Coordinates of all heavy atoms in Angstrom, one line a residue:
M12 N 115.9 108.1 95.1 CA 114.7 107.4 94.6 C 114.7 106.0 95.3 O 115.6 105.3 95.3 CB 114.8 107.2 93.1 CG 113.7 106.6 92.4 SD 113.8 106.4 90.6 CE 113.6 108.1 90.1
T13 N 113.5 105.7 95.8 CA 113.3 104.4 96.5 C 113.4 103.3 95.5 O 113.1 103.5 94.3 CB 112.0 104.4 97.3 OG1 110.9 104.4 96.3 CG2 111.8 105.5 98.2
P14 N 113.6 102.1 96.0 CA 113.6 100.9 95.0 C 112.3 100.7 94.3 O 112.2 100.5 93.1 CB 113.9 99.7 96.0 CG 114.7 100.3 97.1 CD 114.1 101.7 97.3
E15 N 111.2 101.0 95.1 CA 109.8 100.8 94.4 C 109.6 101.9 93.4 O 109.0 101.7 92.3 CB 108.7 100.9 95.5 CG 107.4 100.6 94.9 CD 106.3 100.4 95.9 OE1 106.5 99.7 96.9 OE2 105.2 101.0 95.7
A16 N 110.1 103.1 93.7 CA 110.0 104.2 92.7 C 110.8 103.9 91.4 O 110.3 104.3 90.3 CB 110.5 105.5 93.3
K17 N 111.9 103.2 91.5 CA 112.7 102.8 90.4 C 111.9 101.8 89.5 O 111.9 101.8 88.3 CB 114.0 102.2 90.8 CG 115.0 103.2 91.3 CD 116.3 102.5 91.8 CE 117.2 103.6 92.4 NZ 118.4 102.9 92.9
V18 N 111.2 100.9 90.2 CA 110.3 99.9 89.5 C 109.2 100.7 88.8 O 108.9 100.4 87.6 CB 109.7 98.9 90.5 CG1 108.7 98.0 89.8 CG2 110.8 98.0 91.1
K19 N 108.6 101.6 89.4 CA 107.5 102.4 88.8 C 108.0 103.2 87.6 O 107.4 103.2 86.5 CB 106.8 103.4 89.8 CG 106.0 102.7 90.8 CD 105.4 103.7 91.8 CE 104.6 102.9 92.9 NZ 104.0 103.9 93.8
K20 N 109.2 103.7 87.7 CA 109.8 104.4 86.6 C 110.0 103.5 85.4 O 109.8 103.8 84.2 CB 111.1 105.1 87.0 CG 111.8 105.9 86.0 CD 113.1 106.5 86.5 CE 113.8 107.3 85.4 NZ 115.1 107.9 85.8
G21 N 110.5 102.3 85.7 CA 110.7 101.3 84.6 C 109.4 100.9 83.9 O 109.3 100.8 82.7
V22 N 108.4 100.7 84.7 CA 107.1 100.3 84.2 C 106.6 101.5 83.3 O 106.1 101.2 82.2 CB 106.1 100.0 85.3 CG1 104.6 99.9 84.8 CG2 106.4 98.7 86.0
K23 N 106.6 102.7 83.8 CA 106.1 103.8 83.1 C 106.9 104.0 81.8 O 106.3 104.2 80.7 CB 106.3 105.1 83.9 CG 105.6 106.3 83.3 CD 105.8 107.6 84.2 CE 105.1 107.5 85.5 NZ 105.2 108.7 86.3
G24 N 108.2 103.8 81.8 CA 109.0 103.8 80.5 C 108.5 102.8 79.5 O 108.4 103.1 78.3
T25 N 108.3 101.6 79.9 CA 107.9 100.5 79.0 C 106.5 100.9 78.5 O 106.3 100.7 77.3 CB 107.8 99.2 79.8 OG1 109.1 98.8 80.2 CG2 107.3 98.1 78.9
L26 N 105.6 101.3 79.3 CA 104.2 101.6 78.8 C 104.2 102.8 77.8 O 103.5 102.7 76.8 CB 103.3 102.0 80.0 CG 103.1 100.8 81.0 CD1 102.3 101.3 82.2 CD2 102.5 99.6 80.3
K27 N 105.1 103.8 78.1 CA 105.2 104.9 77.1 C 105.8 104.4 75.8 O 105.3 104.8 74.7 CB 106.1 106.0 77.7 CG 105.3 106.8 78.8 CD 106.2 107.9 79.3 CE 105.4 108.8 80.3 NZ 106.2 109.9 80.8
E28 N 106.8 103.6 75.9 CA 107.5 103.0 74.7 C 106.5 102.3 73.8 O 106.6 102.3 72.6 CB 108.6 102.1 75.1 CG 109.3 101.4 74.0 CD 110.3 100.4 74.5 OE1 110.9 100.6 75.6 OE2 110.4 99.3 73.9
L29 N 105.6 101.5 74.5 CA 104.6 100.7 73.7 C 103.3 101.5 73.4 O 102.4 100.9 72.9 CB 104.3 99.4 74.5 CG 105.5 98.5 74.7 CD1 105.2 97.3 75.5 CD2 106.0 98.0 73.3
H30 N 103.3 102.8 73.8 CA 102.1 103.6 73.5 C 100.8 103.0 74.2 O 99.8 103.1 73.6 CB 101.9 103.8 72.0 CG 103.1 104.4 71.3 ND1 103.5 105.7 71.5 CD2 104.0 103.8 70.5 CE1 104.6 105.9 70.8 NE2 104.9 104.7 70.2
A31 N 101.0 102.5 75.4 CA 99.9 102.0 76.1 C 99.2 103.1 76.9 O 99.9 104.0 77.3 CB 100.3 100.9 77.1
Y32 N 97.9 103.1 77.0 CA 97.2 104.0 77.9 C 97.4 103.5 79.3 O 97.3 102.3 79.6 CB 95.7 104.0 77.6 CG 94.9 104.8 78.6 CD1 94.9 106.2 78.6 CD2 94.4 104.1 79.7 CE1 94.2 106.9 79.6 CE2 93.7 104.8 80.7 CZ 93.7 106.2 80.7 OH 93.0 106.9 81.7
Y33 N 97.7 104.4 80.2 CA 97.8 104.0 81.6 C 97.3 105.1 82.5 O 97.4 106.3 82.1 CB 99.2 103.5 82.0 CG 100.2 104.6 82.0 CD1 100.5 105.3 83.2 CD2 100.9 104.9 80.9 CE1 101.5 106.3 83.2 CE2 101.9 105.9 80.9 CZ 102.2 106.6 82.0 OH 103.1 107.6 82.0
A34 N 96.9 104.8 83.7 CA 96.5 105.7 84.7 C 97.1 105.2 86.0 O 97.2 104.0 86.2 CB 95.0 105.9 84.9
M35 N 97.5 106.1 86.9 CA 98.1 105.8 88.2 C 97.1 106.3 89.2 O 97.1 107.5 89.6 CB 99.5 106.3 88.4 CG 100.5 105.8 87.4 SD 102.1 106.6 87.5 CE 102.7 105.8 89.1
P36 N 96.2 105.4 89.7 CA 95.2 105.9 90.6 C 95.7 106.4 92.0 O 96.7 105.8 92.5 CB 94.3 104.7 90.9 CG 94.9 103.5 90.2 CD 96.1 104.0 89.4
V37 N 95.1 107.4 92.5 CA 95.5 108.0 93.8 C 94.7 107.3 94.8 O 93.5 107.3 94.7 CB 95.3 109.5 93.8 CG1 95.7 110.1 95.1 CG2 96.1 110.2 92.7
T38 N 95.3 106.8 95.8 CA 94.5 106.2 96.9 C 94.4 107.2 98.0 O 95.0 108.3 98.0 CB 95.2 104.9 97.5 OG1 96.5 105.3 97.9 CG2 95.4 103.9 96.4
G39 N 93.5 106.9 98.9 CA 93.3 107.8 100.0 C 91.8 108.3 100.0 O 90.9 107.5 99.6
G40 N 91.6 109.5 100.5 CA 90.2 110.0 100.6 C 89.3 109.8 99.5 O 88.2 109.4 99.7
Y41 N 89.7 110.1 98.3 CA 88.9 110.0 97.1 C 89.3 108.8 96.2 O 88.5 108.6 95.2 CB 88.8 111.3 96.3 CG 88.2 112.4 97.1 CD1 89.1 113.3 97.8 CD2 86.9 112.5 97.3 CE1 88.5 114.4 98.5 CE2 86.3 113.5 98.1 CZ 87.1 114.4 98.7 OH 86.6 115.4 99.4
G42 N 90.3 108.2 96.4 CA 90.8 107.1 95.5 C 90.3 105.7 95.9 O 89.6 105.6 96.9
S43 N 90.7 104.7 95.2 CA 90.4 103.4 95.5 C 91.5 102.7 96.2 O 92.5 102.4 95.6 CB 90.1 102.6 94.2 OG 88.9 103.1 93.6
S44 N 91.4 102.5 97.5 CA 92.4 101.8 98.3 C 92.7 100.4 97.7 O 91.7 99.7 97.5 CB 92.1 101.8 99.8 OG 92.0 103.0 100.3
G45 N 93.9 100.1 97.6 CA 94.3 98.7 97.1 C 94.3 98.6 95.6 O 94.7 97.5 95.1
A46 N 94.0 99.6 94.9 CA 94.1 99.5 93.4 C 95.5 99.4 93.0 O 96.4 100.0 93.7 CB 93.4 100.8 92.8
P47 N 95.8 98.7 91.9 CA 97.2 98.6 91.5 C 97.8 99.9 91.1 O 97.1 100.9 90.9 CB 97.1 97.7 90.2 CG 95.8 97.0 90.3 CD 94.9 97.9 91.1
D48 N 99.1 100.0 91.2 CA 99.8 101.2 90.9 C 99.5 101.8 89.5 O 99.5 103.0 89.2 CB 101.3 101.0 91.0 CG 101.7 100.8 92.5 OD1 101.2 101.5 93.4 OD2 102.4 99.8 92.7
F49 N 99.3 100.9 88.5 CA 99.0 101.2 87.1 C 97.8 100.5 86.7 O 97.7 99.3 86.8 CB 100.2 100.8 86.2 CG 101.4 101.6 86.4 CD1 102.4 101.3 87.3 CD2 101.7 102.8 85.6 CE1 103.6 102.0 87.5 CE2 102.9 103.5 85.8 CZ 103.8 103.1 86.7
L50 N 96.9 101.2 86.0 CA 95.7 100.6 85.3 C 96.0 100.8 83.9 O 96.2 102.0 83.4 CB 94.4 101.2 85.8 CG 94.1 101.0 87.2 CD1 92.8 101.8 87.6 CD2 94.0 99.5 87.6
V51 N 96.1 99.8 83.1 CA 96.6 99.8 81.7 C 95.6 99.3 80.7 O 95.0 98.2 81.0 CB 97.9 99.0 81.6 CG1 98.5 99.1 80.2 CG2 98.9 99.5 82.7
C52 N 95.5 99.9 79.6 CA 94.8 99.4 78.4 C 95.8 99.4 77.2 O 96.3 100.4 76.9 CB 93.5 100.2 78.1 SG 92.5 99.4 76.8
W53 N 95.9 98.3 76.6 CA 96.9 98.1 75.5 C 96.4 97.1 74.5 O 96.2 95.9 75.0 CB 98.3 97.8 76.0 CG 99.3 97.8 75.0 CD1 99.9 98.9 74.4 CD2 100.0 96.6 74.5 NE1 100.9 98.5 73.5 CE2 101.0 97.1 73.5 CE3 99.9 95.3 74.7 CZ2 101.8 96.2 72.9 CZ3 100.8 94.4 74.1 CH2 101.7 94.9 73.1
K54 N 96.2 97.4 73.3 CA 95.7 96.5 72.3 C 94.5 95.7 72.7 O 94.4 94.5 72.5 CB 96.9 95.6 71.8 CG 98.0 96.4 71.1 CD 99.0 95.5 70.4 CE 100.0 96.5 69.7 NZ 100.8 95.8 68.8
G55 N 93.6 96.4 73.4 CA 92.3 95.7 73.8 C 92.4 94.9 75.1 O 91.4 94.3 75.5
L56 N 93.5 94.9 75.7 CA 93.7 94.2 76.9 C 93.8 95.1 78.1 O 94.5 96.1 78.1 CB 95.0 93.4 76.8 CG 95.4 92.5 78.0 CD1 94.4 91.4 78.2 CD2 96.8 91.9 77.9
F57 N 93.0 94.8 79.1 CA 93.0 95.6 80.3 C 93.8 94.9 81.4 O 93.6 93.7 81.6 CB 91.6 95.9 80.9 CG 91.6 96.6 82.2 CD1 91.7 98.0 82.2 CD2 91.6 95.9 83.4 CE1 91.7 98.7 83.5 CE2 91.6 96.6 84.6 CZ 91.7 98.0 84.6
F58 N 94.8 95.6 82.1 CA 95.5 94.9 83.1 C 95.9 95.9 84.2 O 96.1 97.1 83.9 CB 96.6 94.0 82.7 CG 97.6 94.7 81.8 CD1 98.8 95.2 82.3 CD2 97.4 94.8 80.4 CE1 99.8 95.8 81.5 CE2 98.4 95.4 79.6 CZ 99.5 95.9 80.1
G59 N 96.1 95.4 85.4 CA 96.7 96.2 86.5 C 98.1 95.7 86.8 O 98.4 94.6 86.7
I60 N 98.9 96.7 87.2 CA 100.3 96.4 87.5 C 100.6 96.9 88.9 O 100.5 98.1 89.1 CB 101.3 97.0 86.5 CG1 101.1 96.5 85.1 CG2 102.8 96.7 87.0 CD1 102.0 97.2 84.1
E61 N 100.9 96.1 89.8 CA 101.3 96.5 91.2 C 102.8 96.4 91.3 O 103.4 95.4 90.9 CB 100.7 95.5 92.2 CG 101.0 95.8 93.6 CD 100.5 97.2 94.1 OE1 99.5 97.7 93.7 OE2 101.3 97.9 94.8
C62 N 103.4 97.5 91.7 CA 104.9 97.6 91.8 C 105.3 97.3 93.2 O 104.8 97.9 94.1 CB 105.3 98.9 91.3 SG 105.0 99.3 89.6
K63 N 106.3 96.5 93.3 CA 106.9 96.2 94.7 C 108.4 96.2 94.5 O 109.0 96.1 93.4 CB 106.4 94.8 95.2 CG 105.0 94.8 95.5 CD 104.6 95.7 96.6 CE 103.2 95.6 97.0 NZ 102.9 96.6 98.0
A64 N 109.1 96.3 95.7 CA 110.5 96.2 95.7 C 111.0 95.0 96.5 O 110.3 94.6 97.5 CB 111.1 97.5 96.3
G65 N 112.0 94.4 96.0 CA 112.6 93.2 96.8 C 111.6 92.1 96.9 O 110.8 91.8 96.0
K66 N 111.5 91.5 98.1 CA 110.6 90.4 98.4 C 109.3 90.8 98.8 O 108.4 90.0 99.2 CB 111.3 89.5 99.4 CG 112.6 88.9 99.1 CD 112.5 87.8 98.2 CE 113.9 87.2 98.0 NZ 114.2 86.8 96.6
N67 N 109.0 92.2 98.8 CA 107.8 92.7 99.3 C 106.6 92.1 98.4 O 106.8 92.0 97.2 CB 107.8 94.2 99.2 CG 106.7 94.9 100.0 OD1 105.9 94.2 100.6 ND2 106.7 96.2 100.0
T68 N 105.6 91.7 99.0 CA 104.4 91.2 98.3 C 103.2 92.1 98.4 O 103.2 93.0 99.3 CB 104.1 89.8 98.9 OG1 103.8 89.9 100.3 CG2 105.2 88.8 98.8
A69 N 102.3 91.8 97.6 CA 101.0 92.6 97.6 C 100.3 92.4 99.0 O 100.3 91.3 99.5 CB 100.1 92.2 96.5
T70 N 99.7 93.5 99.4 CA 98.9 93.4 100.7 C 97.6 92.6 100.4 O 97.2 92.4 99.3 CB 98.5 94.8 101.2 OG1 97.6 95.4 100.2 CG2 99.8 95.7 101.4
A71 N 96.9 92.3 101.5 CA 95.7 91.5 101.3 C 94.7 92.4 100.5 O 94.0 91.8 99.6 CB 95.1 91.2 102.7
L72 N 94.6 93.7 100.7 CA 93.7 94.5 100.0 C 94.1 94.6 98.5 O 93.2 94.6 97.6 CB 93.6 95.9 100.6 CG 92.6 96.9 100.0 CD1 91.2 96.3 100.0 CD2 92.6 98.2 100.7
Q73 N 95.4 94.7 98.2 CA 95.9 94.7 96.9 C 95.5 93.3 96.2 O 95.1 93.3 95.0 CB 97.4 95.0 96.8 CG 97.7 96.4 97.2 CD 99.2 96.6 97.5 OE1 99.9 95.7 97.8 NE2 99.6 97.9 97.3
E74 N 95.7 92.2 96.9 CA 95.4 90.9 96.3 C 93.9 90.8 96.0 O 93.5 90.2 95.0 CB 95.8 89.8 97.3 CG 97.3 89.6 97.4 CD 97.9 89.0 96.1 OE1 97.1 88.5 95.3 OE2 99.1 89.0 96.0
L75 N 93.0 91.4 96.8 CA 91.6 91.4 96.5 C 91.3 92.2 95.2 O 90.5 91.8 94.4 CB 90.8 92.1 97.7 CG 90.6 91.2 98.9 CD1 89.9 92.0 100.0 CD2 89.7 90.0 98.6
N76 N 92.0 93.3 95.0 CA 91.8 94.1 93.8 C 92.3 93.3 92.6 O 91.7 93.3 91.5 CB 92.5 95.4 93.9 CG 91.7 96.4 94.7 OD1 90.9 97.2 94.0 ND2 91.8 96.5 96.0
I77 N 93.5 92.6 92.8 CA 94.0 91.8 91.7 C 93.0 90.7 91.3 O 92.8 90.5 90.1 CB 95.4 91.2 92.1 CG1 96.4 92.4 92.1 CG2 95.8 90.1 91.2 CD1 97.8 92.0 92.7
K78 N 92.5 90.1 92.3 CA 91.5 89.0 92.1 C 90.2 89.6 91.4 O 89.7 89.0 90.4 CB 91.1 88.4 93.4 CG 90.1 87.3 93.3 CD 89.7 86.7 94.7 CE 88.7 85.6 94.5 NZ 87.9 85.3 95.6
A79 N 89.8 90.7 91.8 CA 88.6 91.4 91.2 C 88.9 91.7 89.7 O 88.0 91.5 88.8 CB 88.2 92.6 91.9
I80 N 90.0 92.2 89.4 CA 90.4 92.5 88.0 C 90.4 91.2 87.2 O 89.8 91.1 86.1 CB 91.8 93.2 87.9 CG1 91.7 94.6 88.4 CG2 92.3 93.2 86.5 CD1 93.0 95.3 88.6
R81 N 91.0 90.1 87.7 CA 91.0 88.9 87.0 C 89.6 88.3 86.8 O 89.3 87.8 85.7 CB 91.9 87.9 87.7 CG 93.4 88.3 87.6 CD 94.3 87.4 88.4 NE 95.7 87.7 88.2 CZ 96.6 87.4 89.1 NH1 96.4 86.6 90.1 NH2 97.9 87.8 88.8
E82 N 88.8 88.4 87.8 CA 87.4 87.9 87.7 C 86.6 88.7 86.7 O 85.6 88.1 86.2 CB 86.7 87.9 89.1 CG 87.3 86.8 90.0 CD 86.7 86.8 91.4 OE1 86.0 87.8 91.8 OE2 87.0 85.9 92.2
A83 N 86.9 89.9 86.5 CA 86.2 90.8 85.5 C 86.7 90.6 84.1 O 86.3 91.2 83.2 CB 86.3 92.2 85.9
G84 N 87.7 89.7 83.9 CA 88.2 89.4 82.6 C 89.5 90.1 82.3 O 90.0 89.9 81.2
G85 N 90.0 90.9 83.2 CA 91.3 91.6 83.0 C 92.5 90.7 83.5 O 92.3 89.6 84.0
K86 N 93.6 91.3 83.4 CA 94.8 90.6 83.9 C 95.5 91.5 84.9 O 95.3 92.8 84.9 CB 95.8 90.3 82.8 CG 95.2 89.5 81.7 CD 94.8 88.1 82.2 CE 94.0 87.4 81.1 NZ 93.4 86.2 81.6
A87 N 96.2 91.0 85.9 CA 96.9 91.8 86.9 C 98.1 91.0 87.3 O 98.2 89.8 87.4 CB 96.0 92.0 88.1
I88 N 99.2 91.8 87.4 CA 100.5 91.3 87.8 C 101.2 92.1 88.8 O 100.9 93.3 89.0 CB 101.4 91.1 86.5 CG1 101.7 92.5 85.9 CG2 100.8 90.1 85.5 CD1 102.7 92.4 84.7
V89 N 102.1 91.5 89.5 CA 103.0 92.2 90.4 C 104.4 92.2 89.8 O 104.9 91.2 89.4 CB 103.0 91.5 91.8 CG1 103.9 92.2 92.8 CG2 101.6 91.4 92.4
I90 N 105.0 93.4 89.8 CA 106.3 93.6 89.2 C 107.2 94.1 90.2 O 106.9 94.9 91.1 CB 106.2 94.7 88.1 CG1 105.3 94.3 86.9 CG2 107.5 95.1 87.6 CD1 105.9 93.3 85.9
N91 N 108.5 93.6 90.2 CA 109.5 94.1 91.0 C 110.8 94.4 90.2 O 110.8 94.2 89.0 CB 109.8 93.2 92.3 CG 110.3 91.9 91.9 OD1 110.9 91.7 90.8 ND2 110.2 90.9 92.8
E92 N 111.9 94.7 90.9 CA 113.1 95.0 90.1 C 113.7 93.8 89.4 O 114.5 93.9 88.5 CB 114.1 95.7 91.0 CG 114.6 94.9 92.2 CD 113.8 95.1 93.4 OE1 112.6 95.5 93.4 OE2 114.3 94.8 94.5
D93 N 113.3 92.6 89.8 CA 113.8 91.4 89.2 C 113.1 91.1 87.9 O 113.7 90.4 87.0 CB 113.6 90.2 90.1 CG 114.4 90.3 91.4 OD1 115.5 90.9 91.4 OD2 114.1 89.6 92.4
N94 N 111.9 91.6 87.7 CA 111.2 91.3 86.4 C 110.7 92.5 85.7 O 110.1 92.3 84.6 CB 110.1 90.3 86.7 CG 109.0 90.8 87.7 OD1 109.0 92.0 88.0 ND2 108.2 89.9 88.2
V95 N 111.0 93.7 86.1 CA 110.5 94.9 85.5 C 111.0 95.0 84.0 O 110.2 95.4 83.1 CB 110.8 96.2 86.3 CG1 112.2 96.5 86.3 CG2 110.0 97.4 85.7
D96 N 112.2 94.5 83.8 CA 112.7 94.5 82.4 C 112.0 93.6 81.5 O 112.2 93.7 80.2 CB 114.2 94.2 82.4 CG 115.0 95.3 83.1 OD1 114.5 96.5 83.2 OD2 116.1 95.1 83.6
Q97 N 111.2 92.6 82.0 CA 110.5 91.7 81.2 C 109.1 92.1 80.8 O 108.5 91.5 79.9 CB 110.4 90.3 81.9 CG 111.8 89.7 82.2 CD 111.7 88.5 83.1 OE1 110.6 88.1 83.5 NE2 112.8 87.9 83.4
L98 N 108.7 93.2 81.3 CA 107.3 93.7 81.1 C 107.0 93.9 79.6 O 106.0 93.4 79.1 CB 107.0 95.0 81.9 CG 105.6 95.6 81.6 CD1 104.5 94.6 82.0 CD2 105.5 96.9 82.4
G99 N 107.9 94.6 78.9 CA 107.7 94.8 77.5 C 107.6 93.5 76.7 O 106.7 93.4 75.8
S100 N 108.5 92.6 77.0 CA 108.4 91.3 76.3 C 107.1 90.6 76.6 O 106.5 90.0 75.7 CB 109.6 90.4 76.7 OG 109.5 89.2 76.2
W101 N 106.7 90.6 77.8 CA 105.4 89.9 78.2 C 104.3 90.5 77.4 O 103.4 89.8 77.0 CB 105.2 90.0 79.7 CG 106.1 89.2 80.5 CD1 106.9 88.2 80.2 CD2 106.3 89.4 81.9 NE1 107.6 87.7 81.2 CE2 107.3 88.5 82.3 CE3 105.8 90.3 82.9 CZ2 107.7 88.4 83.6 CZ3 106.3 90.2 84.2 CH2 107.2 89.3 84.6
M102 N 104.3 91.9 77.3 CA 103.2 92.5 76.6 C 103.2 92.2 75.1 O 102.2 91.9 74.5 CB 103.3 94.0 76.9 CG 102.9 94.4 78.3 SD 103.1 96.2 78.6 CE 101.9 97.0 77.5
R103 N 104.4 92.3 74.5 CA 104.5 92.1 73.1 C 104.1 90.6 72.7 O 103.6 90.4 71.6 CB 105.9 92.4 72.6 CG 106.2 93.8 72.5 CD 107.6 94.0 71.9 NE 108.2 95.3 72.3 CZ 109.0 95.5 73.3 NH1 109.4 94.5 74.1 NH2 109.4 96.7 73.6
T104 N 104.5 89.7 73.5 CA 104.2 88.3 73.2 C 102.9 87.8 73.8 O 102.6 86.6 73.7 CB 105.4 87.4 73.7 OG1 105.5 87.5 75.1 CG2 106.7 87.7 73.0
H105 N 102.2 88.7 74.5 CA 101.0 88.4 75.2 C 101.2 87.4 76.3 O 100.2 86.7 76.7 CB 99.9 87.9 74.2 CG 99.5 89.0 73.2 ND1 98.7 90.0 73.6 CD2 99.8 89.3 72.0 CE1 98.5 90.9 72.6 NE2 99.2 90.4 71.6
E106 N 102.4 87.2 76.8 CA 102.6 86.3 77.9 C 101.9 86.9 79.1 O 101.6 86.2 80.1 CB 104.1 86.2 78.2 CG 104.8 85.2 77.3 CD 106.2 85.0 77.7 OE1 106.5 84.6 78.8 OE2 107.1 85.2 76.8
I107 N 101.7 88.2 79.1 CA 101.0 88.8 80.3 C 99.6 88.2 80.5 O 99.1 88.2 81.6 CB 100.9 90.3 80.1 CG1 100.8 91.0 81.4 CG2 99.8 90.7 79.1 CD1 101.1 92.5 81.4
I108 N 99.1 87.6 79.4 CA 97.7 87.0 79.5 C 97.8 85.8 80.4 O 96.9 85.5 81.1 CB 97.2 86.6 78.1 CG1 97.0 87.9 77.3 CG2 96.0 85.7 78.2 CD1 96.7 87.7 75.8
N109 N 98.9 85.1 80.5 CA 99.1 83.9 81.3 C 99.7 84.2 82.7 O 100.0 83.2 83.4 CB 100.0 82.9 80.5 CG 99.4 82.5 79.2 OD1 98.2 82.3 79.1 ND2 100.2 82.5 78.2
R110 N 99.8 85.4 83.1 CA 100.4 85.7 84.4 C 99.3 85.9 85.4 O 98.3 86.3 85.2 CB 101.3 86.9 84.3 CG 102.4 86.6 83.3 CD 103.7 87.3 83.6 NE 104.7 86.7 82.9 CZ 105.5 85.8 83.3 NH1 105.5 85.4 84.5 NH2 106.4 85.3 82.5

């Protein structure tokens, strides 16, 4: 399993534990290029989660999608192995709203 796949597994586990609705959009021919790895709705809050490994950062296209989500009133965050364990706490305390 790649480091990024481990991050995605951690995010998926947290979302399932909190009974959040999520979708993992497929990019490519019919998908939306640059969409975050997870599109989530939880307790009336919509947010996108982009998963990265190490010091890897979101691409320019991913940043555009993150910006579009935020401008539409949603939240969007980038998660890596250093902070994936904090996702549940951020969601429960609504700290995700300030990210």
